[in-house]
Amino acid sequence: GLWWSTLAAVIFTPVCWSALWFNARGMYGAGRAVTIVSCIAGICAWAVLLGPESGIQYFLLVVPPCVYWMLPPWKRRAALCVSVSALLLFAALEAAYGHLPPWWPRLGRGAEVMYWLNLGGVFAFITGASHFGRVGILRAETLLMDEQRKSDLLLLNILPEPIARRLKSSPA
C-alpha cells in the first residue's frame, strides 16, 4: 500500500505541476490534455491495483461530464472521443474484474469504507467540475457582453445614433 502510494505521488505530482505550468503560460490546451490523460491513467492504474472492491473504477464514469465542461465548444469531437474511451475502459475493467486470479490483492475489511469514500469522491468531483465549468461559462459571457458594449460604442462613434440603432435592430 505505502509503496504504491509513494510511487503514485512521485509520478503524478510532476504531472500535476506540469499541467499548472502549461496553464500559467497560457497553454490551456496542453494543460487540459495533461490533466485529462493523467486522470484517466491514474484511475485505471489504481483500479487495477486495488481491485473491484475499491470503487475507484467509478471515477471513469465522471470523465465524460468533466471533459465536456473542461473543453471549449469547438473541441466537442475530442470530448466525445475521450468520453467514449473512458466508458470503454470502465467496461473493460468491469469485465476484467470477473477474471481476477485468487492471489490478486484484496482490500479486506476496509473495502466497504474505501468503496463509499470513492463513490463520494466521484460526486464531489462532479460538483467541483460543474462549478469550474459554470464559472468558465459566466466569465466567457461577461467577456462577450463587454465586447458587445465596446462594439456598440464604436458603432455610435462612427455613425449617427438613429442609423446605428436601425443597423443594430435589422442588420440585413
Side-chain angles (χ1 to χ4, degrees):
L2 180 61
W3 189 85
W4 285 111
S5 298
T6 305
L7 180 64
V10 167
I11 292 171
F12 288 109
T13 300
V15 170
C16 292
W17 280 109
S18 67
L20 291 172
W21 184 86
F22 283 127
N23 284 331
R25 278 150 185 77
M27 296 185 275
Y28 303 114
R32 281 190 294 263
V34 167
T35 302
I36 291 168
V37 170
S38 64
C39 284
I40 291 174
I43 292 167
C44 289
W46 280 109
V48 167
L49 290 172
L50 295 176
E53 296 89 6
S54 68
I56 288 178
Q57 68 274 19
Y58 293 109
F59 275 101
L60 288 170
L61 299 177
V62 175
V63 170
C66 292
V67 168
Y68 274 93
W69 279 111
M70 286 177 73
L71 294 178
W74 58 89
K75 295 280 189 180
R76 290 299 183 217
R77 182 175 290 161
L80 177 65
C81 290
V82 170
S83 299
V84 168
S85 300
L87 295 175
L88 289 174
L89 284 168
F90 175 79
L93 280 170
E94 286 295 316
Y97 284 153
H99 304 288
L100 288 178
W103 49 264
W104 199 262
R106 299 289 182 190
L107 291 175
R109 294 185 319 153
E112 187 173 346
V113 172
M114 183 108 173
Y115 177 83
W116 287 108
L117 283 174
N118 282 322
L119 208 54
V122 166
F123 290 115
F125 198 77
I126 289 173
T127 304
S130 297
H131 174 72
F132 172 74
R134 179 151 170 70
V135 167
I137 288 170
L138 290 174
R139 183 169 179 240
E141 287 174 351
T142 302
L143 290 172
L144 183 63
M145 288 189 304
D146 288 345
E147 291 302 318
Q148 182 66 40
R149 268 189 241 116
K150 288 178 190 175
S151 147
D152 291 345
L153 287 174
L154 182 61
L155 192 60
L156 285 172
N157 284 338
I158 296 172
L159 298 171
E161 189 175 343
I163 296 172
R165 283 187 189 167
R166 191 172 17 155
L167 272 175
K168 194 172 174 188
S169 65
S170 62

